[in-house]
Amino acid sequence: MIRSVMEETAPMRVAAARRVVIVSNLFPPVVIGGAEIVAHRQAKALAARGYDVAVFAGGLPEAGAEPGSLTLEMEDGFPVYRLILNSLAPAENFHCSANAERFLSVLAAHQPELVHFHNLAGLGFNLIPTAKAFGARVVVTLHDHAGLCFKSTLLRDDGSLCDDIEECAVCLPAIDAPDGTRLPIRLRRDYTAWCLSQADHLLSPSAYLAGALAASGVVTRPVEHLSNGISGERVRVRPKPAPEPVAFTCFSYLGEHKGIPTLLAAAEMLAGDRDLEGRWHLTIAGHGHLADALSRDIAAGRFRGAVAFAGRLAHEQALDRLAETHVVVLASHWPENEPVTLLEAIASGTAQIATRIGGNPDLVDEESSGVLVTPGDAASLALAMRRYIDDPELASAHGAYNAARRDRFDESRTIERLVGLYDLLAGPETAAEAADEILVICGGRVGSRERALQLQVLLHRFHLVEDKVRRVRFVWQGWADARVWREARMLWLWGEADEAELPLVARALRADIPVLAPRSSAQVSAAAAQDVDPYDTLLDALGALAALQDVPAPARSTTGRGPGAARFLNALAPAESFQLPVRAPA
């Protein structure tokens, strides 16, 4: 379900001072993408409206900065707690218990009524249930596809666009748990989805991403469309130079997913046409792993002097460059959410060329504000650029159209709607409708590599039997907190249950949670035969899990599951538990 709040109007209000913590995996001056810029702008705007704002953010490792170390800075009048990130690797960037402990200390210090999360890669999605357990209301702005794709881009390793999120194993079959257990990548996605389900409110800056998340079935809560907007005060419409030669600018990370190779191929085509010589030029501004190759191509004369590399620009420098630009170019191959460069083109009165993918069409009114092209098609991009070269007045017309609609994207409207949402959440909390899904805790040792591979394949294809409304989520026991245990419908042991797994089984039986275990787990089945469901093969286990979809959630007892559970729990208890202390005579 998608609702747009950008179109609503409301009178300006002055918010009563309330305590809010903004969370972002990076935060200025540490910037890689647009999400941290948005988090910063919103933090400043909320502080200006009387909110007591604190920021919990990540930082990149630097000389002398130990991963996990926490520092306090003051930025724009509010405290910024910066935690040096340990890893951005897919196996480690979504869950970190140590980060949650640091986060909890910040929550305890500031006692926020509301926590607003932005990008969480590196900090961990487990911070969401941590905030809920603390008692705060939670808002999450989803800036990318992190809930669907461990890369956040939906791009496969070969650069093609993924159209089936159940095939994550094509890119990364498994990740390693801290104890070395090989875990199917699906467990990462399911845990991330469960964390998002704990939020009170989900936002997405583009209608495209809100729809993609809702259609995927991974995110089960309604996702509300709220544009990030752009500061009309900082990005102004300034007079541009004469439209000939036509000035194109690409503000981008220099990577394949941003379409940089496609843009350079298009520029090479244009540079090869002698009739266009001196009538256009392209400036590329940014940083990334393709920067050195770009510099070499320019030096070697690949573009005949028509392309310049400006490097990474500070924001004020970028705005100055924008004032000299007639057409902004965004050649991304991946479905971006709401690119800042397209918003700034609107706010500055600059024409746009962008790929027809993701949230780009929401920001480009084709043939009015700019031109949309096919992702990865250098010839299509070159043709679009040539249209402006052949008709320089077209750039002026499209720029004027953008200048006329800039107020629709003004950030003040976004902040007004955000304040309205905060006001709504500040009222009495009502019980949210629970997602109709089944949570299964997974544990035990997989055993052989062949069994691990078989498990990966079966779990990734489990959606084939999920043609019903109720999805099954698999969560590794090492990530399961008290909330997961309260919601779990089954504990599934993958392999032989040794002494390390017995306390896990004991906890499940105490909580009246059925246990699904291999028939060969003699210790478990002998001690609690009435309370453990045995299986012979992994296919048998998946059949038992699929059957849960037809069974209503049982009422939980607080006394275990009967005589079998009692025998098992007694067997686990140390002998001294049954001995009464005897006092020596006085």
Side-chain angles (χ1 to χ4, degrees):
M1 182 171 105
I2 311 168
R3 304 202 317 270
S4 174
V5 297
M6 197 60 190
E7 299 174 357
E8 299 177 16
T9 58
M12 290 287 290
R13 62 172 66 83
V14 177
R18 283 194 296 275
R19 295 178 297 277
V20 177
V21 169
I22 305 291
V23 181
S24 177
N25 64 343
L26 296 175
F27 199 78
V30 183
V31 174
I32 290 180
E36 49 267 33
I37 295 173
V38 171
H40 185 218
R41 292 202 318 246
Q42 292 184 358
K44 290 197 300 181
L46 290 169
R49 285 175 172 256
Y51 281 85
D52 183 356
V53 175
V55 174
F56 184 79
L60 299 177
E62 299 174 354
E66 289 291 329
S69 61
L70 187 66
T71 59
L72 174 60
E73 309 163 5
M74 291 300 295
E75 297 285 345
D76 300 296
F78 48 79
V80 177
Y81 294 86
R82 198 176 297 275
L83 178 71
I84 302 302
L85 301 178
N86 182 60
S87 175
L88 291 173
E92 302 170 306
N93 68 0
F94 70 100
H95 179 277
C96 182
S97 299
N99 289 355
E101 293 172 3
R102 294 286 199 178
F103 179 52
L104 196 56
S105 68
V106 172
L107 296 181
H110 285 271
Q111 297 291 315
E113 299 163 337
L114 187 140
V115 179
H116 190 153
F117 291 94
H118 292 270
N119 278 357
L120 282 168
L123 289 175
F125 284 83
N126 56 309
L127 268 58
I128 296 174
T130 298
K132 285 298 295 180
F134 181 80
R137 306 300 296 275
V138 169
V139 175
V140 181
T141 296
L142 299 161
H143 291 276
D144 56 31
H145 302 80
L148 312 182
C149 170
F150 66 86
K151 297 179 182 178
S152 301
T153 62
L154 288 185
L155 291 180
R156 299 187 189 276
D157 290 342
D158 62 3
S160 62
L161 188 63
C162 176
D163 58 0
D164 185 355
I165 62 170
E166 299 298 338
E167 295 184 357
C168 290
V170 172
C171 296
L172 183 65
I175 60 176
D176 289 330
D179 65 358
T181 302
R182 295 288 285 169
L183 304 177
I185 188 67
R186 166 155 178 174
L187 270 69
R188 181 191 188 281
R189 190 191 74 199
D190 279 8
Y191 178 73
T192 299
W194 178 81
C195 289
L196 291 173
S197 74
Q198 303 304 298
D200 294 291
H201 213 86
L202 299 177
L203 299 172
S204 174
S206 77
Y208 151 74
L209 185 58
L213 292 168
S216 71
V218 172
V219 178
T220 54
R221 290 289 180 88
V223 181
E224 200 157 358
H225 169 213
L226 177 62
S227 170
N228 289 326
I230 198 73
S231 173
E233 294 182 359
R234 294 200 66 185
V235 186
R236 296 183 178 276
V237 178
R238 293 193 272 176
K240 294 186 180 294
E244 192 168 357
V246 177
F248 298 93
T249 302
C250 171
F251 301 96
S252 175
Y253 177 83
L254 274 62
E256 289 82 0
H257 67 294
K258 287 291 191 175
I260 298 301
T262 303
L263 176 59
L264 297 183
E268 186 176 23
M269 293 177 189
L270 296 174
D273 189 336
R274 295 290 188 178
D275 292 339
L276 302 181
E277 190 171 352
R279 298 170 56 192
W280 69 282
H281 61 83
L282 167 66
T283 301
I284 298 176
H287 70 291
H289 62 275
L290 295 180
D292 289 344
L294 171 59
S295 297
R296 289 194 297 269
D297 284 348
I298 292 173
R302 179 184 177 188
F303 312 108
R304 299 178 183 271
V307 176
F309 177 40
R312 188 172 187 174
L313 301 179
H315 193 230
E316 291 303 324
Q317 293 174 308
L319 293 181
D320 289 341
R321 177 65 241 170
L322 194 59
E324 300 294 319
T325 299
H326 300 111
V327 185
V328 161
V329 183
L330 181 64
S332 289
H333 291 189
W334 74 293
E336 299 209 39
N337 184 5
E338 189 185 47
V340 171
T341 186
L342 295 183
L343 284 171
E344 290 185 337
I346 294 171
S348 64
T350 306
Q352 307 155 304
I353 295 177
T355 44
R356 189 179 284 103
I357 192 171
N360 295 349
D362 294 341
L363 300 178
V364 179
D365 287 351
E366 194 162 16
E367 301 302 332
S368 294
S369 74
V371 181
L372 293 171
V373 299
T374 302
D377 188 340
S380 173
L381 179 56
L383 182 61
M385 295 174 71
R386 179 159 188 153
R387 286 183 58 189
Y388 288 108
I389 300 170
D390 289 338
D391 182 7
E393 293 304 321
L394 184 64
S396 299
H398 287 176
Y401 177 91
N402 273 332
R405 66 177 181 143
R406 68 193 302 269
D407 289 347
R408 288 167 46 194
F409 297 89
D410 194 279
E411 183 183 56
S412 61
R413 300 186 66 191
T414 299
I415 298 301
E416 183 63 27
R417 298 313 310 155
L418 200 58
V419 167
L421 173 60
Y422 288 3
D423 286 348
L424 182 65
L425 292 176
E429 184 168 4
T430 57
E433 183 178 349
D436 194 10
E437 58 189 29
I438 297 164
L439 204 60
V440 173
I441 299 175
C442 302
R445 304 190 183 280
V446 177
S448 68
R449 182 175 183 274
E450 291 73 18
R451 185 178 177 86
L453 290 175
Q454 182 187 15
L455 183 62
Q456 291 160 21
V457 172
L458 289 175
L459 277 186
H460 278 290
R461 305 316 302 177
F462 188 71
H463 74 289
L464 293 178
V465 297
E466 292 185 295
D467 55 350
K468 307 161 191 178
V469 174
R470 305 170 71 205
R471 294 181 61 90
V472 178
R473 306 278 192 208
F474 300 99
V475 175
W476 177 243
Q477 57 92 9
W479 311 328
D481 62 10
R483 281 180 172 244
V484 174
W485 278 97
R486 283 198 298 271
E487 295 180 19
R489 291 284 306 280
M490 182 170 281
L491 169 65
W492 178 20
L493 296 181
W494 288 344
E496 299 293 331
D498 56 24
E499 291 185 1
E501 274 70 53
L502 293 183
L504 195 64
V505 177
R507 181 170 183 177
L509 295 180
R510 287 192 183 100
D512 200 23
I513 298 173
V515 178
L516 183 64
R519 193 180 301 276
S520 56
S521 297
Q523 282 183 290
V524 174
S525 57
Q530 297 178 21
D531 301 286
V532 175
D533 300 318
Y535 66 89
D536 295 305
T537 68
L538 290 175
L539 282 175
D540 292 338
L542 290 183
L545 291 165
L548 283 176
Q549 295 173 305
D550 296 319
V551 180
R556 293 281 179 83
S557 75
T558 58
T559 57
R561 302 185 70 214
R567 289 196 306 272
F568 179 68
L569 296 175
N570 287 341
L572 285 183
E576 55 268 24
S577 299
F578 300 98
Q579 297 174 358
L580 296 175
V582 178
R583 294 181 178 274

